[in-house]
Amino acid sequence: QVQLRESGGGLVQAGDSLRLSCAVSGDTFSIGDMGWFRQAPGKDREFVASISWISSNSYYADSVKGRFTISRDNAKNTLYLQMNTLKPEDTAVYFCATGPYYKSGMYATRDVNYWGQGTQVTVSS
């Protein structure tokens, strides 16, 4: 069992930056990958970025590549998403997620076994 708690969301202007955090507790030994997804009103939940808990190999959606950076601190049991040059189209609820150790990567909702509650990010133009 894994529990995830996101924080760091808020209201910012286009071009600003935010850093989201996700605190993970529980059976952290079972984690293979961690990642971020987002969901805007009326839209499907979409992949944003993921990182291997062990190797640090990371993957990004094309829409955020070059602007967002995913990282993790295993000692602090925390996942981060540094979001720079934010755009209005980044507005969404952002969800932290984990995938089991036996899956090789996290690229879609089907790869997720645990979700956080989500944190709202709103970017005004």
Side-chain angles (χ1 to χ4, degrees):
Q1 192 82 356
V2 174
Q3 297 82 44
L4 304 169
R5 296 181 181 181
E6 303 96 333
S7 62
L11 174 63
V12 298
Q13 294 180 262
D16 284 353
S17 298
L18 278 175
R19 188 179 75 163
L20 305 183
S21 298
C22 174
V24 56
S25 60
D27 298 334
T28 57
F29 65 89
S30 68
I31 297 173
D33 297 273
M34 292 193 72
W36 294 93
F37 293 75
R38 65 187 183 187
Q39 189 166 22
K43 302 291 184 67
D44 292 335
R45 191 168 297 185
E46 67 174 358
F47 170 76
V48 175
S50 64
I51 187 168
S52 169
W53 202 242
I54 299 172
S55 73
S56 295
N57 291 155
S58 58
Y59 305 91
Y60 297 90
D62 288 341
S63 59
V64 307
K65 201 170 298 180
R67 299 188 297 120
F68 291 11
T69 303
I70 189 170
S71 62
R72 86 284 190 275
D73 188 330
N74 298 57
K76 295 182 178 180
N77 297 132
T78 303
L79 178 75
Y80 303 98
L81 185 68
Q82 178 66 46
M83 305 185 294
N84 297 329
T85 320
L86 282 161
K87 304 175 180 179
E89 50 263 46
D90 295 318
T91 295
V93 176
Y94 283 70
F95 297 90
C96 179
T98 59
Y101 74 93
Y102 52 82
K103 289 189 175 181
S104 61
M106 179 180 288
Y107 312 108
T109 57
R110 64 179 178 271
D111 303 316
V112 175
N113 60 352
Y114 294 102
W115 295 98
Q117 296 283 338
T119 185
Q120 177 71 47
V121 172
T122 302
V123 185
S124 62
S125 59

